[in-house]
Amino acid sequence: MLEEADRYIAENASKTDPMYRGEYHFTPPIGWINDPNGFTYFRGEYHIFYQFNPYGSTNAAPMFWGHAKSKDLIRWTHLPVALAPDRSYDADGCWSGSAIVVGERLYLFYTGHYDRDGVRVQTQNMAYSDDGIHFTKYENNPVIGPEQLPEGTSAADFRDPYVWEQDGKYYMLIGTMETGAAKVQLYESDDLFGWRYKSDFLRSEEAGYCWECPNYVDFEEAELFAFSAVVFPAGDYAFHNYNSSVYALGEFDRESGTMQAGPFLEMDAGLDFYAEQILDRGEQKIMTAWMNMWGRSYVTSQLGHGWSGSLVLPRLLSVKDGTLLQKPVPTIAEYYKNEVRIEDRLSGTKEYEGVSGSVVHLKVTADVSASDVFTVSVFCADGVHTDITYDKTKGTISFDRSKSGIAVSYEPRERSKARVRTMPYAPENDTLVLEIFLDRSSAEVFLGEGELTMTSLSYNPVGADGIHFSSVGETALVIEKQDIIVG
Ligand code: FRU
């Protein structure tokens, strides 16, 4: 199955339509992707795996694990498909999971998903590799099956193992649910092969009905628990998408195997961010995620472009004074070209010479002490625009793609209607700092020091590369813009 998939990809990848493909965001050679998996660093290179249907641009097929590597997290090289759904325990999909390097060996842990006679079972499985390219599934898979589930826990929703090592012991988090509660379970191992159920790591009756894709990271200042929640309850502003990426800072008590953490916060307040995975390299904690969302229409798939899905620009995470900060990985700056710098005092609406493009980095520093509302509109052309607006009178920042070229459909309960997200925001000293990364059909917005991010797709006609600025009152502006050319 692996060879057949690789052959199919080699023969057909050039037939995909690149119109909406990001230049510097990871996209599949062909077919559908959702979650990033097995994000790791092995023998001097980053490796990313991903949920992959090579044969169609929807997820209506058993998932493979696609695979790519990179030296700098920007320029990726596709590798042969790593895992195929070719065993009885993963026949309906090799679902999400993580990687760990021990000695010279790269281990993958993933969920085997199968559905027989209407009974759906998910188990945890392992595969390993010594060259980082070819993987062998462990002969005694699954390493965790339904018999290792505590009473009342769902065997049908039991997935996405996240494995790490701490003080000589291996830990695994698995997302799951029980009637009326979502939770993540903790397992322990001394050798990666035998696993013991330890505890409910964290459990909540008020935080969605199932948790997927758990992550745990130890920052010096705090420990972080992140997960992707199916139908997380909406707040006044946060959690307005169908599903949500959630995190909480706190403390992991290894004796009891429980995490004390809270409050639950949204990892990214845009429209398209889910199933994040965090790679802990000691000093560097790097996060990637699926730049999309369940419950929506998938535009490139519908247009017949032969591919769907991409990953966010990887981000460095840190914790400062109790706040999680996200920054784009610094290697992206090596691809900045054609810098333009503008200073202005703006009232009304304006475009600036040299400030345009749909594959750009834009840094806007705006003194809003004498203005009420300030907007940066991107992907502009006749009648279309996507707006990032700071409204001082309301104390909010919003991302609005309701005037983009193609509307995305959404689940009825979705408060954002897949169009607008708004969050409370007050920049320090009335100085708004916006870093915006545009990449053909996506915009990632980092605010301030990275205390808030908003990531969204936006599909527009060819040539929608205008960038407009507008201010109600006078905004003192510094604009720095570069093209991003990966080549
Ligand atoms: C999250 C998710 C995971 C699952 C995978 C299947 O987006 O639903 O829980 O393992 O996608 O592709």
Side-chain angles (χ1 to χ4, degrees):
M1 272 176 98
L2 285 175
E3 280 163 22
E4 209 177 300
D6 285 329
R7 211 174 316 119
Y8 178 83
I9 295 165
E11 281 167 14
N12 294 287
S14 63
K15 299 177 195 159
T16 59
D17 187 332
M19 176 179 179
Y20 287 126
R21 252 188 211 281
E23 278 288 307
Y24 57 92
H25 283 82
F26 179 81
T27 56
I30 189 170
W32 163 275
I33 74 169
N34 52 285
D35 312 358
N37 297 146
F39 188 20
T40 194
Y41 190 75
F42 182 63
R43 302 210 183 132
E45 289 172 308
Y46 292 96
H47 286 252
I48 194 78
F49 301 81
Y50 51 92
Q51 289 290 281
F52 186 30
N53 170 18
Y55 297 113
S57 58
T58 73
N59 72 325
M63 288 293 146
F64 291 65
W65 272 38
H67 185 194
K69 65 175 187 175
S70 173
K71 285 203 189 328
D72 65 1
L73 295 162
I74 307 296
R75 207 195 281 262
W76 292 94
T77 306
H78 291 296
L79 292 172
V81 176
L83 300 177
D86 56 6
R87 301 297 153 97
S88 58
Y89 54 79
D90 60 22
D92 293 299
C94 298
W95 279 21
S96 287
S98 60
I100 184 167
V101 176
V102 178
E104 290 296 297
R105 191 163 261 197
L106 171 55
Y107 295 85
L108 306 179
F109 286 87
Y110 71 99
T111 296
H113 170 75
Y114 68 87
D115 207 325
R116 222 143 297 146
D117 307 323
V119 180
R120 160 175 145 147
V121 177
Q122 301 186 337
T123 63
Q124 315 318 318
N125 301 283
M126 182 221 275
Y128 55 86
S129 171
D130 293 325
D131 64 4
I133 296 177
H134 303 95
F135 290 84
T136 305
K137 290 183 182 171
Y138 174 45
E139 59 194 7
N140 294 326
N141 274 341
V143 293
I144 301 179
E147 66 290 346
Q148 277 159 280
L149 279 173
E151 189 75 26
T153 302
S154 166
D157 289 292
F158 177 56
R159 58 180 176 271
D160 311 339
Y162 183 84
V163 175
W164 79 98
E165 186 267 339
Q166 231 169 0
D167 301 330
K169 197 179 251 179
Y170 299 108
Y171 296 93
M172 184 192 289
L173 296 180
I174 306 173
T176 183
M177 60 181 286
E178 55 191 40
T179 307
K183 62 180 186 170
V184 158
Q185 284 180 187
L186 180 68
Y187 289 77
E188 286 180 351
S189 173
D190 302 318
D191 59 7
L192 289 178
F193 293 86
W195 291 89
R196 298 176 297 275
Y197 169 70
K198 169 80 176 166
S199 53
D200 280 352
F201 182 77
L202 197 67
R203 176 186 177 284
S204 172
E205 291 169 13
E206 287 128 28
Y209 79 81
C210 178
W211 290 349
E212 309 182 309
C213 304
N215 288 259
Y216 161 85
V217 181
D218 186 5
F219 292 91
E220 243 161 53
E221 200 185 303
E223 287 156 284
L224 172 130
F225 171 56
F227 57 98
S228 293
V230 179
V231 198
F232 196 90
D236 290 342
Y237 293 95
F239 309 116
H240 281 198
N241 295 321
Y242 178 54
N243 294 337
S244 298
S245 283
V246 188
Y247 74 94
L249 295 172
E251 221 176 298
F252 169 39
D253 174 16
R254 287 181 236 174
E255 278 298 304
S256 64
T258 56
M259 180 93 195
Q260 304 299 327
F264 288 133
L265 300 167
E266 195 172 12
M267 187 61 96
D268 184 284
L271 295 158
D272 297 285
F273 184 100
Y274 196 65
E276 74 274 20
Q277 188 159 93
I278 305 169
L279 165 61
D280 186 351
R281 289 198 63 206
E283 285 290 289
Q284 286 193 320
K285 325 282 187 201
I286 311 164
M287 178 170 70
T288 182
W290 181 33
M291 191 157 62
N292 219 320
M293 178 60 58
W294 293 116
R296 303 271 177 77
S297 49
Y298 300 100
V299 170
T300 52
S301 174
Q302 287 183 332
L303 292 174
H305 288 189
W307 69 278
S308 177
S310 51
L311 304 182
V312 299
L313 180 61
R315 301 171 182 184
L316 289 186
L317 301 184
S318 60
V319 176
K320 191 176 155 197
D321 304 329
T323 302
L324 181 70
L325 302 178
Q326 304 181 33
K327 286 271 179 212
V329 286
T331 43
I332 186 65
E334 288 163 26
Y335 299 92
Y336 294 169
K337 303 269 154 56
N338 312 326
E339 167 143 342
V340 175
R341 190 174 189 281
I342 307 276
E343 280 189 44
D344 195 21
R345 302 185 82 82
L346 171 74
S347 309
T349 299
K350 219 165 169 179
E351 282 176 74
Y352 297 97
E353 171 94 39
V355 181
S356 65
S358 59
V359 185
V360 303
H361 168 242
L362 191 67
K363 184 168 179 194
V364 181
T365 310
D367 176 346
V368 291
S369 47
S371 56
D372 285 340
V373 182
F374 172 68
T375 298
V376 183
S377 299
V378 298
F379 298 129
C380 301
D382 279 351
V384 301
H385 51 98
T386 295
D387 301 334
I388 299 134
T389 300
Y390 171 63
D391 187 329
K392 199 167 74 178
T393 63
K394 295 184 183 145
T396 58
I397 184 93
S398 64
F399 187 103
D400 182 346
R401 68 172 179 203
S402 53
K403 300 286 185 314
S404 67
I406 300 176
V408 170
S409 77
Y410 54 93
E411 288 286 322
R413 69 184 130 195
E414 220 176 330
R415 289 235 205 139
S416 68
K417 300 201 183 326
R419 285 169 171 70
V420 188
R421 288 297 312 269
T422 300
M423 290 297 278
Y425 193 69
E428 238 174 80
N429 306 322
D430 273 343
T431 304
L432 182 70
V433 181
L434 284 175
E435 260 202 278
I436 305 174
F437 290 84
L438 304 182
D439 199 3
R440 271 194 227 303
S441 57
S442 67
E444 288 186 66
V445 182
F446 294 79
L447 284 127
E449 289 186 84
E451 62 274 14
L452 183 64
T453 62
M454 301 178 108
T455 299
S456 299
L457 300 169
S458 177
Y459 295 97
N460 297 290
V462 176
D465 58 7
I467 300 177
H468 302 171
F469 298 83
S470 52
S471 170
V472 178
E474 186 181 84
T475 300
L477 268 184
V478 179
I479 302 166
E480 291 153 274
K481 175 249 155 183
Q482 300 95 358
D483 297 324
I484 300 180
I485 301 176
V486 175

